[in-house]
Amino acid sequence: MIALLIGTVAAVIGAEWPRLSGGRFGNEARHRRERQQRKSQLKLLKTETEEFAASVERDLNKLPTIEETDRKR
């Protein structure tokens, strides 16, 4: 029974090892945290095409529409 218990514990550790080894510790994790911090300080700038698309969408929303009941008359 002890051998079965040891085998089970070894299987669980073997299956979870990749998740445990690279997650929160080591150089890789430090680089990931630094990158996340740099990315959080970035600002999204609108381009002219996005502004143009937004203005076209606003203009289209202002246009009058024909309701389904109006077409049947």
Side-chain angles (χ1 to χ4, degrees):
M1 298 226 358
I2 293 174
L4 185 60
L5 179 63
I6 291 172
T8 303
V9 169
V12 169
I13 289 173
E16 294 295 323
W17 185 255
R19 188 172 64 96
L20 296 174
S21 66
R24 298 182 181 150
F25 308 108
N27 286 337
E28 198 173 310
R30 182 173 47 86
H31 291 299
R32 189 179 318 117
R33 285 190 303 270
E34 289 173 354
R35 182 171 189 252
Q36 186 177 7
Q37 184 179 11
R38 286 192 312 266
K39 285 178 69 174
S40 69
Q41 296 173 356
L42 295 176
K43 293 180 182 178
L44 179 64
L45 301 176
K46 280 193 164 185
T47 62
E48 290 181 22
T49 56
E50 290 174 343
E51 291 175 6
F52 177 73
S55 69
V56 169
E57 189 173 339
R58 280 193 306 270
D59 292 343
L60 288 175
N61 287 336
K62 290 180 185 177
L63 290 175
T65 59
I66 299 174
E67 298 295 325
E68 191 67 30
T69 57
D70 292 342
R71 287 189 206 167
K72 291 180 181 177
R73 290 185 186 173

